[in-house]
Amino acid sequence: MTTASVNTTARGITPEERKVIFASSLGTVFEWYDFYLYGSLAAIIAKQFFAGTDPNTAFIFALLAFAAGFIVRPFGALVFGRLGDLVGRKYTFLVTILIMGASTFIVGILPNYNAIGITAPIILIILRILQGLALGGEYGGAATYVAEHAPEGRRGAFTAWIQTTATLGLFLSLLVILGVRTSVGEAAFAEWGWRIPFLVSILLLAISVWIRLSMNESPAFLKMKSEGKVSKAPLTEAFGQWKNLKLVILALIGLTAGQAVVWYTGQFYALFFLTQSLKVDGATANILIAMALLLATPFFIFFGSLSDKIGRKPIILGGCLIAALTYFPIFSGLTHFANPALEAALKKAPVIVTADPANCQFQFNPTGTKKFTSSCDIVKAKLSAASVNYENVAGAPGSVATVTIGDKVITSYDASTLSKEEAAAKDKALSKELADDIKAAGYPSKADPDQMNKPMVLLLLFILVLYVTMVYGPIAAALVEMFPTRIRYTSMSMPYHIGNGWFGGLLPTTSFALVAFKGDIYYGLWYPIVIALATFVIGLFFVKESVHNNIYAAD
């Protein structure tokens, strides 16, 4: 792309620009609100729609739900990115919000399994896939639309508002769910009240559509259209020509992959670590995360604006590097301040797992449906879930895994040849024996609120989210600037959604598998650290700074 000098003349935001930012951000907030509802209410939805299915059918549905949440998003980027480059930005991301809003509303009125049988989960999965496709098209449209309206030298500041929307959408969904739950009570909420947050989305949809209908098409697209330079085959140009495909690949591995793992570590894995590894009660953990998000959210705008002055790369890559170098001490600090009793037990009560290495799998289970039945896998999963560090010792071939805690030796079991009832009985007995001995060794079953240093926990969580704002605040502007106008919507959406949908979305399950593999509650951090460092190196040497690029260039 050609470059243009940055206009540094200070001026206020015009009413039209303010409207563009507000309308684009508001619509994207609502899309994230719709998308998060499913995840927040997954347990209730499963009981409503999957309870009557047989295990094999439930397994297929679980795979499809997983696909909708992560894998489908890049395909939405392809479909709607192509449409956006062919017919324009405005109408394309108007379509995405209509699909998202309608799909969400229909979930709210969809009869459950008891009413219409197998048809209910089938329709639910179709709606979920439509949501994933719509979200795949929404972000690229909103970011492109805002950037192409922004004055030269302020694209980072303008598009940073889009970057706040995922956090705000999560907040909105949690607030509506909490409000309805409080109003109708838990029993009524589980029976029918859960539908209300989905039904509310029709009001949000109406507001968003009304605002977006009154907006003008992107000036960059209009200029390109008037010059007759609109791409006739955006997918072929974006991915079939090496000069453009190379940019897509660099955008993925040199920017969005690292950005994604830093984002998921700060906003999602930190919550998982608090509740699952450190045994902090869910309410306290959610409040602390929410407070950290509230305190850090203005920094999305700060770093977006700063990137207009010093460039996108220094901030995004700097955030990846700092995060990678400090994750271990920060998460160790969370253990120290949130659950000091666990920290003491990890140091004073070593545990040894002796097992045949051939029977120990890497427990990567993104759908939550795969069963690990070997004696090694069973006992490692239980120890990892209990936040117990352990040393791995190779046992004799074919031997049953054992756990040594002090002078106590506990024998696991192999479930592959047992009936469901026999496996359940063995599992109950092993769980009790492990729990008793772990407790005797000093491992707490939950964090003690009186021993928790909440201000320090909040500070560390704030630092983690601050890293998120560094890498995420400027990313929209960087992606928009990397690609020519004629294929921008298509090109930028793909690396963003592969990075965030796949690299980021797989972080919790990959990290847990790493913890179970190594026997160290911090070992899962190697996944975001390695990805972030790889992005730093590749981005540093191969991604060009884009802040001065002329985004009106069609080629």
Side-chain angles (χ1 to χ4, degrees):
M1 292 181 64
T2 58
T3 61
S5 60
V6 176
N7 177 15
T8 57
T9 304
R11 65 166 177 81
I13 300 177
T14 67
E16 177 65 19
E17 291 167 350
R18 188 177 291 110
K19 181 180 178 181
V20 165
I21 294 173
F22 175 74
S24 301
S25 300
L26 186 65
T28 308
V29 167
F30 292 163
E31 290 233 25
W32 280 111
Y33 165 84
D34 291 346
F35 195 74
Y36 280 131
L37 283 182
Y38 188 96
S40 300
L41 300 174
I44 292 175
I45 290 173
K47 292 179 181 178
Q48 290 284 335
F49 294 99
F50 298 153
T53 58
D54 62 86
N56 288 332
T57 304
F59 175 75
I60 294 171
F61 284 147
L63 286 174
L64 290 172
F66 167 73
F70 296 101
I71 296 177
V72 173
R73 281 168 57 180
F75 294 100
L78 283 177
V79 172
F80 293 108
R82 176 180 179 275
L83 191 63
D85 285 327
L86 283 173
V87 303
R89 291 40 166 141
K90 171 186 173 180
Y91 292 106
T92 301
F93 81 137
L94 184 62
V95 171
T96 62
I97 200 168
L98 281 169
I99 293 174
M100 176 66 85
S103 300
T104 304
F105 177 76
I106 293 171
V107 172
I109 61 174
L110 181 64
N112 62 17
Y113 186 90
N114 293 332
I116 60 174
I118 198 71
T119 305
I122 291 174
I123 295 175
L124 180 68
I125 293 301
I126 291 172
L127 293 171
R128 183 63 175 164
I129 290 174
L130 287 172
Q131 284 185 324
L133 290 171
L135 189 60
E138 168 66 17
Y139 176 84
T144 300
Y145 188 78
V146 171
E148 291 179 348
H149 273 87
E152 198 71 40
R154 300 187 70 179
R155 286 191 292 268
F158 276 41
T159 57
W161 288 97
I162 299 294
Q163 306 309 95
T164 68
T165 58
T167 299
L168 296 176
L170 174 60
F171 267 119
L172 183 61
S173 66
L174 293 177
L175 285 174
V176 173
I177 290 170
L178 180 62
V180 175
R181 257 195 164 119
T182 304
S183 300
V184 304
E186 282 297 322
F189 185 82
E191 184 179 352
W192 57 267
W194 64 269
R195 296 181 180 272
I196 295 176
F198 288 92
L199 298 176
V200 167
S201 68
I202 199 68
L203 300 175
L204 307 181
L205 173 64
I207 295 170
S208 295
V209 170
W210 176 66
I211 294 175
R212 287 190 176 185
L213 280 172
S214 66
M215 294 161 59
N216 298 316
E217 180 55 87
S218 151
F221 184 83
L222 289 176
K223 178 179 181 292
M224 180 180 65
K225 187 176 181 180
S226 68
E227 295 171 351
K229 295 182 178 180
V230 174
S231 174
K232 293 180 174 59
L235 295 181
T236 302
E237 283 194 46
F239 308 115
Q241 298 178 11
W242 174 243
K243 67 174 183 176
N244 292 323
L245 179 59
K246 180 175 67 174
L247 292 177
V248 173
I249 295 171
L250 287 176
L252 172 61
I253 60 177
L255 288 176
T256 61
Q259 165 261 304
V261 296
V262 173
W263 179 28
Y264 271 76
T265 301
Q267 289 196 195
F268 299 105
Y269 189 68
L271 177 61
F272 173 87
F273 188 80
L274 282 176
T275 56
Q276 303 302 313
S277 299
L278 302 187
K279 311 301 179 186
V280 176
D281 69 275
T284 300
N286 276 286
I287 290 171
L288 288 169
I289 289 286
M291 291 175 66
L293 289 172
L294 280 175
L295 290 171
T297 292
F299 286 90
F300 285 111
I301 312 301
F302 171 78
F303 285 115
S305 300
L306 183 63
S307 73
D308 287 328
K309 299 177 176 62
I310 68 172
R312 321 299 181 202
K313 277 181 57 176
I315 299 174
I316 297 172
L317 299 185
C320 288
L321 179 62
I322 297 169
L325 294 177
T326 59
Y327 274 160
F328 277 118
I330 287 176
F331 279 82
S332 297
L334 285 174
T335 304
H336 177 75
F337 293 114
N339 195 341
L342 174 62
E343 181 186 43
L346 290 171
K347 294 178 180 177
K348 297 178 181 177
V351 175
I352 298 172
V353 173
T354 304
D356 176 6
N359 292 328
C360 302
Q361 297 185 58
F362 184 67
Q363 298 185 42
F364 181 67
N365 189 17
T367 64
T369 55
K370 187 176 181 180
K371 302 298 181 184
F372 296 96
T373 57
S374 75
S375 60
C376 174
D377 293 335
I378 288 170
V379 78
K380 283 190 172 185
K382 290 185 180 297
L383 290 172
S384 298
S387 304
V388 176
N389 281 1
Y390 51 86
E391 179 186 351
N392 291 287
V393 174
S399 62
V400 176
T402 61
V403 181
T404 304
I405 306 174
D407 58 358
K408 177 77 172 180
V409 179
I410 303 167
T411 303
S412 183
Y413 69 95
D414 190 312
S416 60
T417 60
L418 300 178
S419 68
K420 185 177 180 181
E421 292 73 19
E422 290 172 328
K426 290 274 191 181
D427 188 77
K428 183 177 180 181
L430 177 62
S431 296
K432 185 180 186 308
E433 190 174 8
L434 278 175
D436 291 343
D437 290 334
I438 288 169
K439 183 178 180 180
Y443 285 89
S445 59
K446 61 180 181 179
D448 185 350
D450 294 331
Q451 293 186 4
M452 188 184 305
N453 187 332
K454 292 180 181 177
M456 286 304 300
V457 172
L458 177 59
L459 175 62
L460 293 175
L461 293 175
F462 169 76
I463 293 171
L464 289 175
V465 182
L466 193 64
Y467 295 161
V468 174
T469 66
M470 287 184 70
V471 300
Y472 200 52
I475 195 71
L479 292 175
V480 167
E481 293 161 349
M482 284 186 73
F483 302 101
T485 308
R486 59 191 286 117
I487 57 168
R488 178 171 295 136
Y489 200 148
T490 303
S491 300
M492 72 159 289
S493 296
M494 181 57 66
Y496 175 82
H497 286 293
I498 291 179
N500 288 276
W502 296 1
F503 281 88
L506 293 175
L507 189 150
T509 50
T510 304
S511 293
F512 178 83
L514 287 169
V515 169
F517 167 75
K518 185 65 175 179
D520 180 350
I521 66 170
Y522 304 113
Y523 200 72
L525 292 171
W526 279 113
Y527 175 77
I529 288 173
V530 169
I531 299 295
L533 287 177
T535 290
F536 172 77
V537 173
I538 294 169
L540 183 65
F541 290 105
F542 298 103
V543 175
K544 295 180 180 179
E545 178 56 62
S546 62
V547 70
H548 299 314
N549 283 1
N550 174 19
I551 68 167
Y552 283 81
D555 299 306

Tab-separated table of all heavy atoms in Angstrom, residues 9-22 146 149-151 154 157-159 161 301 305:
chain	number	residue	atom	x	y	z
A	9	THR	N	-3.160	18.153	12.403
A	9	THR	CA	-3.979	19.293	12.807
A	9	THR	C	-5.048	18.853	13.783
A	9	THR	O	-5.853	17.979	13.494
A	9	THR	CB	-4.652	19.934	11.574
A	9	THR	OG1	-3.644	20.274	10.646
A	9	THR	CG2	-5.431	21.153	11.970
A	10	ALA	N	-5.049	19.442	14.949
A	10	ALA	CA	-6.005	19.052	15.984
A	10	ALA	C	-7.378	19.641	15.671
A	10	ALA	O	-7.505	20.804	15.322
A	10	ALA	CB	-5.528	19.554	17.351
A	11	ARG	N	-8.376	18.810	15.770
A	11	ARG	CA	-9.743	19.290	15.628
A	11	ARG	C	-10.650	18.352	16.396
A	11	ARG	O	-10.293	17.221	16.708
A	11	ARG	CB	-10.167	19.340	14.166
A	11	ARG	CG	-10.257	17.986	13.458
A	11	ARG	CD	-10.999	18.144	12.139
A	11	ARG	NE	-11.051	16.910	11.382
A	11	ARG	CZ	-11.923	15.926	11.597
A	11	ARG	NH1	-12.781	16.018	12.598
A	11	ARG	NH2	-11.925	14.851	10.835
A	12	GLY	N	-11.842	18.802	16.704
A	12	GLY	CA	-12.784	17.975	17.420
A	12	GLY	C	-13.433	16.957	16.495
A	12	GLY	O	-13.286	17.009	15.276
A	13	ILE	N	-14.139	16.016	17.074
A	13	ILE	CA	-14.859	15.007	16.299
A	13	ILE	C	-16.129	15.628	15.744
A	13	ILE	O	-16.895	16.270	16.471
A	13	ILE	CB	-15.208	13.793	17.184
A	13	ILE	CG1	-13.946	13.160	17.753
A	13	ILE	CG2	-15.996	12.757	16.395
A	13	ILE	CD1	-14.206	12.007	18.697
A	14	THR	N	-16.365	15.451	14.473
A	14	THR	CA	-17.571	15.998	13.853
A	14	THR	C	-18.787	15.178	14.283
A	14	THR	O	-18.656	14.015	14.691
A	14	THR	CB	-17.464	15.955	12.320
A	14	THR	OG1	-17.453	14.580	11.894
A	14	THR	CG2	-16.192	16.651	11.843
A	15	PRO	N	-19.996	15.730	14.185
A	15	PRO	CA	-21.203	14.966	14.529
A	15	PRO	C	-21.330	13.666	13.743
A	15	PRO	O	-21.744	12.638	14.286
A	15	PRO	CB	-22.337	15.944	14.183
A	15	PRO	CG	-21.721	17.297	14.333
A	15	PRO	CD	-20.302	17.140	13.873
A	16	GLU	N	-20.958	13.696	12.456
A	16	GLU	CA	-21.041	12.486	11.633
A	16	GLU	C	-20.071	11.416	12.126
A	16	GLU	O	-20.417	10.229	12.216
A	16	GLU	CB	-20.744	12.823	10.174
A	16	GLU	CG	-20.726	11.616	9.232
A	16	GLU	CD	-22.076	10.940	9.104
A	16	GLU	OE1	-23.109	11.579	9.436
A	16	GLU	OE2	-22.114	9.760	8.709
A	17	GLU	N	-18.846	11.837	12.485
A	17	GLU	CA	-17.864	10.885	12.986
A	17	GLU	C	-18.293	10.304	14.325
A	17	GLU	O	-18.126	9.111	14.595
A	17	GLU	CB	-16.500	11.562	13.113
A	17	GLU	CG	-15.862	11.906	11.774
A	17	GLU	CD	-14.673	12.833	11.904
A	17	GLU	OE1	-14.444	13.378	13.008
A	17	GLU	OE2	-13.966	13.027	10.895
A	18	ARG	N	-18.856	11.153	15.165
A	18	ARG	CA	-19.346	10.678	16.470
A	18	ARG	C	-20.458	9.653	16.272
A	18	ARG	O	-20.530	8.639	16.979
A	18	ARG	CB	-19.849	11.868	17.293
A	18	ARG	CG	-20.190	11.500	18.737
A	18	ARG	CD	-20.617	12.720	19.536
A	18	ARG	NE	-19.493	13.631	19.757
A	18	ARG	CZ	-19.375	14.818	19.192
A	18	ARG	NH1	-20.310	15.243	18.355
A	18	ARG	NH2	-18.340	15.580	19.446
A	19	LYS	N	-21.321	9.910	15.317
A	19	LYS	CA	-22.416	8.989	15.012
A	19	LYS	C	-21.881	7.655	14.501
A	19	LYS	O	-22.383	6.583	14.872
A	19	LYS	CB	-23.348	9.618	13.978
A	19	LYS	CG	-24.540	8.758	13.595
A	19	LYS	CD	-25.386	9.474	12.561
A	19	LYS	CE	-26.562	8.630	12.102
A	19	LYS	NZ	-27.365	9.322	11.066
A	20	VAL	N	-20.859	7.703	13.656
A	20	VAL	CA	-20.259	6.486	13.113
A	20	VAL	C	-19.677	5.627	14.230
A	20	VAL	O	-19.916	4.415	14.303
A	20	VAL	CB	-19.161	6.846	12.084
A	20	VAL	CG1	-18.277	5.628	11.782
A	20	VAL	CG2	-19.789	7.369	10.804
A	21	ILE	N	-18.915	6.258	15.115
A	21	ILE	CA	-18.301	5.531	16.233
A	21	ILE	C	-19.382	4.945	17.134
A	21	ILE	O	-19.330	3.764	17.508
A	21	ILE	CB	-17.371	6.456	17.047
A	21	ILE	CG1	-16.176	6.881	16.192
A	21	ILE	CG2	-16.894	5.747	18.303
A	21	ILE	CD1	-15.308	7.937	16.862
A	22	PHE	N	-20.367	5.766	17.489
A	22	PHE	CA	-21.422	5.321	18.408
A	22	PHE	C	-22.218	4.173	17.809
A	22	PHE	O	-22.433	3.142	18.463
A	22	PHE	CB	-22.346	6.495	18.735
A	22	PHE	CG	-23.526	6.111	19.590
A	22	PHE	CD1	-23.356	5.837	20.933
A	22	PHE	CD2	-24.802	6.018	19.042
A	22	PHE	CE1	-24.437	5.473	21.727
A	22	PHE	CE2	-25.889	5.658	19.822
A	22	PHE	CZ	-25.708	5.387	21.165
A	146	VAL	N	-15.481	2.138	10.604
A	146	VAL	CA	-15.022	3.244	11.464
A	146	VAL	C	-13.683	3.784	10.960
A	146	VAL	O	-13.482	4.998	10.864
A	146	VAL	CB	-14.902	2.785	12.934
A	146	VAL	CG1	-14.222	3.858	13.779
A	146	VAL	CG2	-16.282	2.475	13.506
A	149	HIS	N	-13.897	6.008	7.992
A	149	HIS	CA	-14.502	7.317	8.281
A	149	HIS	C	-13.557	8.225	9.076
A	149	HIS	O	-13.788	9.429	9.176
A	149	HIS	CB	-15.801	7.149	9.087
A	149	HIS	CG	-17.024	6.943	8.241
A	149	HIS	ND1	-17.426	5.703	7.812
A	149	HIS	CD2	-17.930	7.827	7.727
A	149	HIS	CE1	-18.529	5.819	7.089
A	149	HIS	NE2	-18.856	7.089	7.017
A	150	ALA	N	-12.536	7.610	9.692
A	150	ALA	CA	-11.660	8.364	10.590
A	150	ALA	C	-10.754	9.311	9.808
A	150	ALA	O	-10.285	8.988	8.721
A	150	ALA	CB	-10.803	7.408	11.416
A	151	PRO	N	-10.487	10.494	10.366
A	151	PRO	CA	-9.529	11.401	9.724
A	151	PRO	C	-8.120	10.839	9.835
A	151	PRO	O	-7.819	10.035	10.723
A	151	PRO	CB	-9.680	12.695	10.529
A	151	PRO	CG	-10.178	12.251	11.859
A	151	PRO	CD	-11.058	11.070	11.600
A	154	ARG	N	-5.961	9.631	13.152
A	154	ARG	CA	-6.803	9.342	14.325
A	154	ARG	C	-7.508	7.992	14.202
A	154	ARG	O	-8.473	7.726	14.915
A	154	ARG	CB	-7.831	10.467	14.512
A	154	ARG	CG	-7.185	11.839	14.722
A	154	ARG	CD	-8.210	12.893	15.068
A	154	ARG	NE	-8.755	12.697	16.403
A	154	ARG	CZ	-9.655	13.503	16.943
A	154	ARG	NH1	-10.112	14.543	16.271
A	154	ARG	NH2	-10.114	13.270	18.139
A	157	ALA	N	-7.410	5.984	17.512
A	157	ALA	CA	-8.334	6.503	18.525
A	157	ALA	C	-9.776	6.131	18.199
A	157	ALA	O	-10.550	5.741	19.088
A	157	ALA	CB	-8.193	8.019	18.630
A	158	PHE	N	-10.139	6.238	16.913
A	158	PHE	CA	-11.523	5.954	16.520
A	158	PHE	C	-11.848	4.457	16.637
A	158	PHE	O	-12.870	4.075	17.199
A	158	PHE	CB	-11.767	6.422	15.076
A	158	PHE	CG	-12.102	7.890	14.958
A	158	PHE	CD1	-11.434	8.841	15.723
A	158	PHE	CD2	-13.080	8.328	14.091
A	158	PHE	CE1	-11.727	10.195	15.617
A	158	PHE	CE2	-13.391	9.680	13.960
A	158	PHE	CZ	-12.709	10.615	14.726
A	159	THR	N	-10.976	3.604	16.095
A	159	THR	CA	-11.271	2.164	16.102
A	159	THR	C	-11.111	1.545	17.485
A	159	THR	O	-11.645	0.459	17.738
A	159	THR	CB	-10.355	1.407	15.123
A	159	THR	OG1	-8.975	1.659	15.458
A	159	THR	CG2	-10.619	1.841	13.688
A	161	TRP	N	-12.576	2.346	20.046
A	161	TRP	CA	-13.915	2.213	20.644
A	161	TRP	C	-14.519	0.860	20.302
A	161	TRP	O	-15.249	0.274	21.117
A	161	TRP	CB	-14.826	3.344	20.165
A	161	TRP	CG	-14.461	4.673	20.764
A	161	TRP	CD1	-13.687	5.643	20.209
A	161	TRP	CD2	-14.829	5.155	22.056
A	161	TRP	NE1	-13.544	6.702	21.066
A	161	TRP	CE2	-14.241	6.435	22.209
A	161	TRP	CE3	-15.599	4.644	23.095
A	161	TRP	CZ2	-14.407	7.199	23.356
A	161	TRP	CZ3	-15.770	5.403	24.253
A	161	TRP	CH2	-15.169	6.659	24.372
A	301	ILE	N	-8.850	2.927	24.765
A	301	ILE	CA	-8.840	4.198	24.039
A	301	ILE	C	-7.467	4.844	24.133
A	301	ILE	O	-6.946	5.402	23.161
A	301	ILE	CB	-9.908	5.157	24.595
A	301	ILE	CG1	-11.263	4.437	24.741
A	301	ILE	CG2	-10.038	6.386	23.718
A	301	ILE	CD1	-11.800	3.881	23.453
A	305	SER	N	-5.206	5.582	20.883
A	305	SER	CA	-4.785	6.946	20.565
A	305	SER	C	-3.263	7.067	20.516
A	305	SER	O	-2.700	7.739	19.646
A	305	SER	CB	-5.354	7.925	21.604
A	305	SER	OG	-6.763	7.883	21.630
